Amino acid sequence: GRTVGLEALVRWQHPTRGLLFPDTFIPLAERTGLINPLTTAVVVSALEQGVRFRQAALPLGMSVNLSARNLHEPGFAPKLLALVESVDFPLSDLTLEVTETAIMTDPVRAKAVLTELAEAGIHLSMDDFGIGQSSLSYLKELPISKIKIDKSFVMGLEEPRNLAVVRSAIDLARNMDLQVTAEGIETEAACDMLRGLGCQIG
């Protein structure tokens, strides 16, 4: 019943095309390598906003998405950590979200980068949990502390199979001492059901 954190979602206020959503420009940014400076800019902007919230007595956590290209850029982790430390925002309240797809591109490299970030005190979340192919092995191998159940299961919670997936994911998270967030809660009934299943955040 209270707000505990926010997720920073990038938008581009284009001078002639108006407000552009990520699916319009993120693929291009990934193809051209601009995704790395874009990610660092979003992280800094989000954390600076987080500092302003704290000054207004709103100590909220902040989540930012990582791209596969971020995990493959040489020196990405130390560069990101230096930027984060230049902003007066607690590392322990920052969560970086990564999808299985991003990890699968180069699991060894991804593990090295994510471990460096986790050891600095940043939380890591497996985004879109349940739609990839190797969720369990990555949860076991990587320093993940949170999972986000994909909205495709949550928005269809009245279907027995979706409910079974969500219940299993919540039980798995509890048994692995992971925090769990359900994405795509659109009704009070779904919220109540998730609470009853033991989901911590929506």
Side-chain angles (χ1 to χ4, degrees):
R2 63 191 178 91
T3 303
V4 295
L6 304 165
E7 179 179 355
L9 299 172
V10 68
R11 302 289 185 266
W12 181 4
Q13 188 63 55
H14 193 280
T16 57
R17 296 176 62 190
L19 187 67
L20 300 181
F21 285 79
D23 55 352
T24 313
F25 60 89
I26 291 292
L28 181 61
E30 290 187 324
R31 285 198 301 274
T32 58
L34 289 172
I35 193 67
N36 294 317
L38 177 58
T39 298
T40 53
V42 170
V43 170
V44 170
S45 178
L47 297 190
E48 287 175 345
Q49 179 62 61
V51 169
R52 289 192 287 275
F53 282 135
R54 283 166 189 276
Q55 291 166 347
L58 293 167
L60 300 172
M62 190 67 71
S63 296
V64 182
N65 295 289
L66 292 186
S67 157
R69 289 291 293 267
N70 298 146
L71 299 179
H72 303 147
E73 182 195 12
F76 174 76
K79 191 184 302 179
L80 183 70
L81 289 171
L83 277 170
V84 171
E85 286 164 9
S86 71
V87 181
D88 189 23
F89 187 89
L91 283 179
S92 59
D93 286 341
L94 172 61
T95 298
L96 296 176
E97 301 188 7
V98 61
T99 63
E100 286 180 73
T101 309
I103 295 166
M104 286 168 67
T105 314
D106 185 348
V108 175
R109 174 72 187 150
K111 182 178 181 180
V113 173
L114 295 175
T115 299
E116 189 172 352
L117 295 170
E119 287 176 349
I122 294 172
H123 289 282
L124 300 172
S125 178
M126 177 76 74
D127 201 6
D128 302 336
F129 183 80
I131 60 171
Q133 298 176 355
S134 307
S135 300
L136 298 182
S137 62
Y138 289 137
L139 283 184
K140 185 182 73 165
E141 297 293 334
L142 297 171
I144 301 290
S145 57
K146 305 178 181 184
I147 62 171
K148 289 180 77 176
I149 303 171
D150 188 70
K151 64 184 177 183
S152 61
F153 300 109
V154 176
M155 291 174 79
L157 206 53
E158 68 284 349
E159 296 177 21
R161 287 184 173 226
N162 285 335
L163 178 59
V165 170
V166 171
R167 179 184 285 117
S168 298
I170 293 169
D171 288 344
L172 177 68
R174 185 187 297 117
N175 291 328
M176 294 185 72
D177 198 27
L178 302 172
Q179 189 183 82
V180 61
T181 300
E183 291 186 300
I185 303 173
E186 304 238 331
T187 65
E188 193 170 344
C191 188
D192 291 342
M193 192 180 298
L194 287 157
R195 268 205 194 96
L197 293 171
C199 185
Q200 296 157 312
I201 298 176

